[in-house]
Amino acid sequence: MAPNSVVVTIEKPDSSALKVNGLDSSVFLEKQKAVSTKQFTWVLLLKVNRIFACLSWLPMAFRAMFVSLKKRIALSDMSDEEPKSRGRLYRFIKAFLGLSIVALVIEVIAHFKNWNLNLIQPWEVQGVVQWSYMTWSAFRVDYIAPVAIILSKFCIVLFLIQSLDRLVLCLGCFWIKYKKIKPTVAADAYDIEDSSSFPMVLLQIPMCNEREVYEQAIESACKMDWPRDRLLIQVLDDSDDRNLQLLIKDEVSTWNQKGVNIIYRHRLIRTGYKAGNLKSAMGCDYVKDYEFVAIFDADFQPNPDFLKLTIPHFKGNPELGLVQARWSFVNKDENLLTRLQNINLCFHFEVEQQVNGAFLNFFGFNGTAGVWRIKALEESGGWLERTTVEDMDIAVRAHLNGWKFIFLNDVRVLCELPESYETYKKQQHRWHSGPMQLFRLCLPAILTSKISMWKKSNLIFLFFLLRKLILPFYSFTLFCIILPLTMFLPEAELPLWVICYIPIFMSFLNILPSLKSFPFLVPYLLFENTMSVTKFNAMVSGLFQLGSSYEWVVTKKTGRSSESDLLALAERESLSSNEEKILRRNSESGLELLSKLKEQEVAPIPKKKKKNGIYRKELALAFLLLTASARSFLSAHGVHFYFLLFQGLSFLAVGLDLIGEQMG
């Protein structure tokens, strides 16, 4: 063996024992140390290079984001939001934001100058800023902190009560799944061969300017698998567009000539919105010949077997007044907004509606995809126009009269979700202001009704107060007002389990009915807090009967179809349609045909291009939360900082209308 050769023997993979022959061990160790130092230097240089690459990317990213925001603000439409943004809530948020910015500036100066109030005597104060800091600190300790602590404790108690209610509902849902509890019907409910054994059913389709969806709504209703002589379809058109009225009337006439028992109704005096439309239709003389009424909004597409899955539940159950089916969404994966809505509504149907239906035989009617016993409607006073939630109104009055409800989680009806934030916000405003209007009107009737004390307590404390009033109140107050306030009040800091652990756990429970949405757990939590400002504003306007509580805006639809509908449409279009065209022309009067010809001759009026909006309340809250996060960063709060940061960014995205459908 050569004198300078080196023999290395490794006894164990993790052992550091080396046998060195023919070479001084100290020389070998020095070479190893030099190699290790060189490798370590290269690793450090590589990491530094990556850091500089990231730092060079950040200014470009911020610049791109700033340009995008500037473009969005320049091109956005603020006409719809501007009148509402001048309300008291918006002015309060702006004032709170201004005070927070001033307080943050003073706190930053105090932080970098290391001011300590315990070591500074009054005569040692130098300058206006230091005097302002000392005055503010003394004022917050003596006056603001005690009030903030009391208010935060009150909201935390409400938060825990609501979380407990949500947990009980989830346990009830687990019990239903475990015991396989579901409504059942007799196998021989109706004689299939004898059509006279089927009850008379009235099917109503209320609509108003539903140009995108009226065809599919009428087609779905006309394909219902029910004896034709036992079914009447009412198309209740409240459209104010004359051309659209002609198109809907033409569609009805086409199906009528195919043998479907369908009629078209249009009110000359359009009062009461949807409730007025349904009330007018129920006033027809022929309605007395029918036993049940099924209601579908224009964007709903029931399967042909819908009536055969719902009507049999009424047989042998004379106390049953309503059978409600579940909604299913054709566009749930369209964008982030529809995905988050799907999480909410899946929990609403799977947990809230199913549990209340199974254990209480009562829940809020969803306004569509349900079948009513006409006798229950009439004995409960019929449709009333006093609120914007006529469906909840009739459900509460029927419950007070002793009628029972059934929810069918297995029967699903396709419909659409709002794809733009503007549409969704208006829908949520109506859904959260209406219940407070109804609560004020129904409270005397609930107290004087003959139902049991338990049912009265459930209606007042759970159905109305806890789920319709307390939920939006504490969500907005606790997470959008108190939490950023406590960043400037160290004496009133909220515990971590309030802002992190329990909200994440409750969001996880909400996502359980739609497990495929689990990756959206954190966005869902942030979005729910973001929507609290809209829900709180709506709740207050409904409770105190402010002007915006009576607004009714028809939810805009896009006319999306399911995959099976598209295949059926392609099959129909592949066939010859000459006979259809002849029937269609024969169904029109000369005046209607002349009107259509004139419409084709006249150049179409160009529509105003739709733009994304700017929502000032959400933007003001975004800057407020980001200001509070900066103050939290100075105090090294950790979880508080990250929560405020991401919640502020969530408000910013919503305020700039970046979450839903993006217009050109």
Side-chain angles (χ1 to χ4, degrees):
M1 182 178 292
N4 292 332
S5 62
V6 179
V7 177
V8 181
T9 303
I10 302 177
E11 295 181 352
K12 295 181 181 180
D14 58 344
S15 175
S16 60
L18 301 176
K19 293 182 179 180
V20 182
N21 295 326
L23 188 66
D24 187 62
S25 60
S26 60
V27 176
F28 180 79
L29 291 175
E30 287 178 3
K31 289 184 178 181
Q32 285 290 100
K33 189 180 296 184
V35 172
S36 299
T37 305
K38 194 173 183 180
Q39 290 177 345
F40 180 70
T41 304
W42 278 109
V43 170
L44 282 181
L45 289 174
L46 182 61
K47 290 187 176 182
V48 170
N49 181 56
R50 290 179 178 177
I51 292 173
F52 276 107
C54 291
L55 291 177
S56 63
W57 174 82
L58 281 176
M60 297 175 61
F62 279 114
R63 182 178 179 277
M65 184 177 66
F66 177 76
V67 171
S68 299
L69 295 181
K70 186 177 179 181
K71 185 178 180 181
R72 167 53 56 88
I73 294 173
L75 297 177
S76 295
D77 184 11
M78 292 187 287
S79 58
D80 293 336
E81 176 69 7
E82 191 172 356
K84 299 178 184 178
S85 66
R86 299 193 186 114
R88 295 178 181 177
L89 180 60
Y90 178 63
R91 291 196 294 267
F92 169 76
I93 296 172
K94 284 202 304 182
F96 191 11
L97 173 61
L99 293 174
S100 300
I101 293 175
V102 173
L104 176 63
V105 172
I106 297 176
E107 294 280 358
V108 168
I109 296 174
H111 175 77
F112 285 104
K113 290 195 174 184
N114 297 320
W115 287 342
N116 191 338
L117 295 180
N118 297 326
L119 302 177
I120 299 177
Q121 299 299 327
W123 57 84
E124 297 177 348
V125 175
Q126 299 177 356
V128 177
V129 177
Q130 191 173 12
W131 177 85
S132 301
Y133 177 67
M134 290 191 62
T135 304
W136 154 247
S137 301
F139 181 77
R140 80 184 185 195
V141 171
D142 295 336
Y143 299 101
I144 300 180
V147 176
I149 291 173
I150 294 173
L151 185 59
S152 63
K153 288 182 178 179
F154 176 69
C155 289
I156 289 173
V157 170
L158 297 180
F159 172 54
L160 293 176
I161 293 173
Q162 196 275 333
S163 300
L164 179 62
D165 173 65
R166 187 64 57 95
L167 181 61
V168 170
L169 287 174
C170 290
L171 293 176
C173 184
F174 292 145
W175 182 257
I176 290 173
K177 297 292 184 184
Y178 176 70
K179 291 293 184 178
K180 298 181 179 180
I181 301 173
K182 60 188 302 185
T184 57
V185 295
D188 55 345
Y190 301 110
D191 187 358
I192 299 177
E193 296 181 356
D194 183 13
S195 63
S196 62
S197 66
F198 286 76
M200 299 287 285
V201 178
L202 182 67
L203 194 152
Q204 296 177 331
I205 311 175
M207 59 178 65
C208 180
N209 297 325
E210 308 280 6
R211 182 181 293 272
E212 294 80 8
V213 294
Y214 75 90
E215 286 182 297
Q216 68 184 29
I218 295 174
E219 180 181 3
S220 299
C222 292
K223 290 184 176 181
M224 199 66 67
D225 185 11
W226 199 257
R228 289 190 173 182
D229 60 333
R230 317 295 290 177
L231 176 66
L232 173 63
I233 300 172
Q234 285 182 319
V235 178
L236 311 177
D237 181 26
D238 260 3
S239 303
D240 54 8
D241 184 345
R242 176 61 180 164
N243 294 328
L244 181 57
Q245 293 174 25
L246 295 177
L247 292 174
I248 298 174
K249 191 181 296 184
D250 176 37
E251 187 72 17
V252 169
S253 180
T254 300
W255 284 101
N256 201 356
Q257 294 187 21
K258 293 180 180 180
V260 178
N261 194 10
I262 182 172
I263 60 174
Y264 173 86
R265 280 181 54 85
H266 178 75
R267 295 191 298 161
L268 296 178
I269 303 176
R270 299 166 53 248
T271 58
Y273 303 111
K274 181 180 176 181
N277 198 359
L278 293 172
K279 181 179 180 181
S280 174
M282 293 299 293
C284 297
D285 293 335
Y286 53 79
V287 172
K288 65 179 181 294
D289 299 328
Y290 293 84
E291 187 177 357
F292 304 105
V293 56
I295 303 172
F296 296 99
D297 285 348
D299 61 313
F300 280 70
Q301 306 170 48
N303 291 326
D305 61 349
F306 176 85
L307 293 179
K308 289 187 175 180
L309 294 175
T310 54
I311 298 292
H313 288 274
F314 289 97
K315 189 171 184 179
N317 195 355
E319 295 181 344
L320 183 61
L322 168 68
V323 174
Q324 172 72 60
R326 179 173 175 171
W327 299 359
S328 182
F329 310 106
V330 70
N331 61 337
K332 62 183 179 181
D333 297 324
E334 184 64 25
N335 54 45
L336 179 60
L337 179 61
T338 57
R339 291 176 186 272
L340 299 178
Q341 291 179 70
N342 180 59
I343 295 173
N344 246 341
L345 290 171
C346 282
F347 181 86
H348 169 69
F349 288 108
E350 184 89 12
V351 179
E352 293 178 342
Q353 298 291 74
Q354 186 174 211
V355 170
N356 288 322
F359 295 106
L360 301 176
N361 295 121
F362 168 72
F363 47 82
F365 175 45
N366 293 116
T368 178
V371 181
W372 276 95
R373 190 189 295 272
I374 293 180
K375 183 180 178 181
L377 287 176
E378 293 174 346
E379 290 186 357
S380 303
W383 298 103
L384 298 181
E385 309 164 11
R386 56 183 182 173
T387 69
T388 57
V389 284
E390 74 294 326
D391 44 10
M392 185 182 294
D393 190 356
I394 187 63
V396 170
R397 286 184 281 118
H399 180 59
L400 295 179
N401 284 333
W403 292 98
K404 295 181 179 180
F405 304 162
I406 283 180
F407 177 75
L408 302 179
N409 192 52
D410 297 332
V411 181
R412 307 194 177 198
V413 182
L414 277 176
C415 62
E416 286 187 25
L417 290 167
E419 295 182 7
S420 68
Y421 179 68
E422 177 189 3
T423 304
Y424 179 65
K425 183 176 181 178
K426 291 177 179 178
Q427 181 198 69
Q428 292 300 303
H429 187 279
R430 176 165 57 88
W431 285 6
H432 286 81
S433 64
M436 288 297 97
Q437 300 174 19
L438 183 61
F439 178 63
R440 298 177 76 258
L441 296 171
C442 283
L443 184 58
I446 295 173
L447 295 175
T448 58
S449 65
K450 297 180 180 180
I451 61 175
S452 64
M453 187 59 66
W454 155 245
K455 290 184 177 180
K456 290 181 181 180
S457 302
N458 173 67
L459 264 179
I460 295 174
F461 296 108
L462 293 181
F463 186 76
F464 278 114
L465 290 181
L466 183 60
R467 297 167 189 163
K468 303 296 187 297
L469 188 148
I470 290 176
L471 177 58
F473 171 78
Y474 88 74
S475 297
F476 174 73
T477 308
L478 187 62
F479 295 108
C480 299
I481 300 298
I482 295 178
L483 179 59
L485 178 63
T486 56
M487 294 301 98
F488 299 93
L489 301 173
E491 302 82 7
E493 183 176 327
L494 293 177
L496 286 179
W497 57 268
V498 173
I499 66 170
C500 181
Y501 304 142
I502 292 183
I504 290 180
F505 177 70
M506 300 313 298
S507 297
F508 175 74
L509 292 181
N510 277 28
I511 282 184
L512 283 180
S514 54
L515 280 176
K516 291 183 179 179
S517 302
F518 185 77
F520 300 94
L521 175 66
V522 175
Y524 171 74
L525 171 61
L526 297 175
F527 180 69
E528 281 299 288
N529 290 335
T530 304
M531 284 304 301
S532 65
V533 60
T534 298
K535 297 176 181 179
F536 176 82
N537 193 31
M539 181 269 294
V540 172
S541 65
L543 188 63
F544 297 102
Q545 292 185 306
L546 303 179
S548 60
S549 63
Y550 294 98
E551 291 181 353
W552 180 290
V553 180
V554 177
T555 304
K556 297 177 183 177
K557 288 92 176 178
T558 60
R560 297 189 185 275
S561 300
S562 62
E563 185 177 353
S564 59
D565 295 329
L566 294 175
L567 291 174
L569 178 62
E571 184 179 352
R572 289 197 306 272
E573 289 182 348
S574 64
L575 302 175
S576 175
S577 59
N578 291 333
E579 185 178 354
E580 288 276 331
K581 291 179 180 178
I582 294 173
L583 290 174
R584 186 179 295 269
R585 288 177 180 174
N586 291 337
S587 68
E588 296 173 347
S589 65
L591 282 175
E592 292 172 354
L593 189 57
L594 180 61
S595 175
K596 286 193 173 183
L597 291 174
K598 288 183 178 179
E599 180 187 354
Q600 293 175 0
E601 292 174 1
V602 179
I605 302 173
K607 293 184 178 180
K608 183 180 178 182
K609 190 175 182 180
K610 186 64 179 175
K611 299 179 181 179
N612 288 94
I614 292 290
Y615 302 97
R616 299 187 180 186
K617 281 194 288 288
E618 284 80 356
L619 287 179
L621 280 168
F623 294 127
L624 172 63
L625 292 169
L626 292 175
T627 302
S629 69
R631 176 63 184 86
S632 176
F633 181 76
L634 291 178
S635 303
H637 278 139
V639 175
H640 294 74
F641 164 72
Y642 288 111
F643 179 85
L644 287 166
L645 176 63
F646 288 114
Q647 189 63 71
L649 294 176
S650 175
F651 267 104
L652 184 63
V654 171
L656 294 172
D657 201 3
L658 297 172
I659 189 172
E661 180 184 15
Q662 299 303 299
M663 308 299 177

